[in-house]
Amino acid sequence: MTAEILAWAGRQLTLADWEAVPHDEQFRLELVEGVLSIMQRPLSLHQRAVVRLASRLDEQVPPDLTAMVELDVVVAERPLTIRIPDLVVTREAVIERNLPRITAGYVLLAVEILSDGTRKVDRILKFAEYAEAGIRQYWIVDLDEPASLRAFTLVGDSYELSGEFTEPVTLDVAGHTVTVDPSGLTRR
């Protein structure tokens, strides 16, 4: 880990600080209640699954929606929390603004693909943070055999399980149907 990144660790950061933190391709950085969170980058099967899922979603949603990978999302302003979901679906008009980050209010679907070192974060912390931020849908994909997708929908201020799927499934994303095959996300 670079000394430049470590210099920012362990103290409360502002948005200006976050923008000044040097990003290193070796690590994924997020900001959790103002504190820098440093994680290893996902491994190759995780990356393949993210790219495939984004591509498949993008092909199936209408042109006014788009799937994006690793987009900075402000899930809380006080204390400042910036998460980087593996994938989000948002409106194309939001992306065309070419912003450095978007607020959670623009996220129609957030997807996290579980990996070693983030399982509890994705299933517990991000689950609560995304619900509190008002993100309407949250999917958690587990690539361990049998690969599965757990779909949640925001009801009131908390998520309710829509279903857990290991076979190809047709789901709703922002009022549009999409088909996803959890087991096909990593196979060649």
Side-chain angles (χ1 to χ4, degrees):
M1 182 171 322
T2 64
E4 294 87 18
I5 293 174
L6 282 178
W8 295 93
R11 60 186 171 117
Q12 198 79 21
L13 302 181
T14 65
L15 184 56
D17 293 333
W18 170 253
E19 291 174 343
V21 172
H23 289 275
D24 184 327
E25 289 303 312
Q26 184 178 357
F27 303 103
R28 177 181 275 185
L29 305 177
E30 294 181 331
L31 199 59
V32 182
E33 294 188 353
V35 178
L36 191 62
S37 175
I38 304 167
M39 297 158 285
Q40 75 176 31
R41 284 244 167 239
L43 301 177
S44 57
L45 285 179
H46 180 282
Q47 291 173 327
R48 176 184 280 172
V50 170
V51 168
R52 285 189 176 165
L53 183 56
S55 176
R56 290 176 184 159
L57 288 176
D58 218 33
E59 291 169 353
Q60 297 179 68
V61 296
D64 65 319
L65 300 180
T66 190
M68 299 292 298
V69 299
E70 295 192 12
L71 190 63
D72 288 16
V73 176
V74 177
V75 297
E77 291 186 16
R78 294 191 195 281
L80 184 60
T81 299
I82 298 174
R83 291 294 193 176
I84 305 172
D86 289 317
L87 182 153
V88 300
V89 172
T90 188
R91 303 220 174 270
E92 177 65 22
V94 172
I95 298 307
E96 288 175 359
R97 293 170 49 199
N98 202 28
L99 303 168
R101 72 198 60 79
I102 65 171
T103 61
Y106 290 120
V107 178
L108 305 171
L109 166 67
V111 180
E112 294 291 355
I113 297 178
L114 301 179
S115 58
D116 293 339
T118 68
R119 289 178 177 276
K120 284 186 179 178
V121 170
D122 294 343
R123 290 190 324 231
I124 299 169
L125 293 176
K126 289 185 179 184
F127 185 88
E129 291 169 355
Y130 293 170
E132 189 174 305
I135 296 174
R136 299 175 205 168
Q137 293 179 286
Y138 182 40
W139 293 355
I140 299 174
V141 177
D142 190 343
L143 299 176
D144 288 347
E145 290 297 327
S148 64
L149 183 154
R150 295 182 79 204
F152 299 90
T153 302
L154 192 63
V155 176
D157 59 355
S158 61
Y159 285 122
E160 287 187 6
L161 181 65
S162 302
E164 183 167 1
F165 312 97
T166 57
E167 300 292 327
V169 62
T170 299
L171 297 167
D172 175 89
V173 174
H176 305 280
T177 58
V178 297
T179 301
V180 179
D181 178 6
S183 65
L185 295 176
T186 58
R187 279 184 286 174
R188 187 80 176 124

